[in-house]
Each structure stands twice: as structure tokens, then as C-alpha cells.
Amino acid sequence: MLAHFADLDPYRLYALLKLRCDVFVVEQRCAYPELDGRDLEPTTAHLWLDDEHGTPAAYLRVLADPGGVARIGRVVTAKAARGQGLAGRLMAEALAHIGPGREVVLDAQTEAMRLYERFGFTAEGAPFLEDGIEHIHMRRPAA
């Protein structure tokens, strides 16, 4: 599913934010400003897949960065739903939404680099720590 902030009902928004907090803040023990204001931007697209109970099982957001660059972030899969290919399905949907004519960037947890490489992303620069977890900047050029 895909929606912009204004189209999310409060129950759906709560469920999406809960998934992000459950994984990033609780499971990965990262105390960081999860609510960074970018969810509210009118161009931000929220994409997710629900489990059989209608609860979000995987999520990501697509942001508009300066210069027409798209940024994919907050890629997350619920612990119980991992290993089912949900992140890959969401990446394919996100890239279709973005379209081939735009450059796309993301900051990947290094253990997830292979997922993004399958979609044409390449690592740039050295790994860096963000909230105690090693990340690397990745870029996919416009087609």
C-alpha cells in the first residue's frame, strides 16, 4: 500500500510508527528522534505491506531530497515477518513509484547491503556509525 501523510488515518499511522519504534528503538536499542518531521512532508510516500491480520509487517518511506534526488529510508520488517522477501517487494514498489528518471540514495545498515545491491545501489564512501549501528551511504543513478 502507498499513502501520503494526509491520507493516513490515525490508526494506520499509529501502526506504522509502532512498527518503526518496535524495531529501531526497542529491538535495535537506538535512542534517536524517530519522529523527525519528514513524515509530514507532502511529497513523502509511505509504503507498507500488511500481514494476514491487517497489521503492518514491513514499511519504508520515500523522501524528496534537494536536487530532485529521492531518498529511501526507515526500511523495516517486523521480526516475525523476516525472511519472507517483504523488504524486497517494498523496494521494488518504491522504485516503481520513484520512476527510472530519478537518482535514489539511502543509508543502509551494512548487514542489509546485499538487498540494496540487488536493486542497482552501490556503496559510496566508508561505513559510519549511526546510533551505534554500522551504515553505509548507497546510491542508484537515474536510468
Side-chain angles (χ1 to χ4, degrees), residues 2-3 6 8 18 25 33-34 39 42-43 48 53 59 67 71 75-76 99 106 109 115 117 135 137 140 143:
L2 183 146
L8 292 169
K18 183 176 183 326
V25 178
E34 167 56 23
D39 293 316
T43 57
W48 71 94
H53 305 292
Y59 166 91
R71 173 175 293 279
V75 181
V76 62
L106 55 82
Q109 292 186 8
L115 166 68
E117 288 170 342
H135 285 70
H137 187 73
R140 181 178 187 250

Side-chain angles (χ1 to χ4, degrees), residues 14-102:
Y14 179 89
L16 296 173
L17 295 175
K18 183 176 183 326
L19 172 61
R20 287 172 21 183
C21 287
D22 284 351
V23 174
F24 297 132
V25 178
V26 177
E27 181 184 334
Q28 295 183 348
R29 297 182 180 148
C30 296
Y32 72 104
E34 167 56 23
L35 301 177
D36 61 2
R38 300 226 47 201
D39 293 316
L40 302 169
E41 295 172 3
T43 57
T44 297
H46 303 271
L47 289 86
W48 71 94
L49 297 169
D50 287 339
D51 66 15
E52 65 276 6
H53 305 292
T55 303
Y59 166 91
L60 63 74
R61 67 182 184 181
V62 177
L63 307 167
D65 274 4
V69 175
R71 173 175 293 279
I72 294 175
R74 300 293 201 266
V75 181
V76 62
T77 302
K79 192 172 190 175
R82 293 182 191 148
Q84 300 174 27
L86 300 181
R89 285 178 47 199
L90 277 181
M91 284 297 297
E93 288 184 32
L95 293 170
H97 169 73
I98 293 166
R102 285 177 73 191

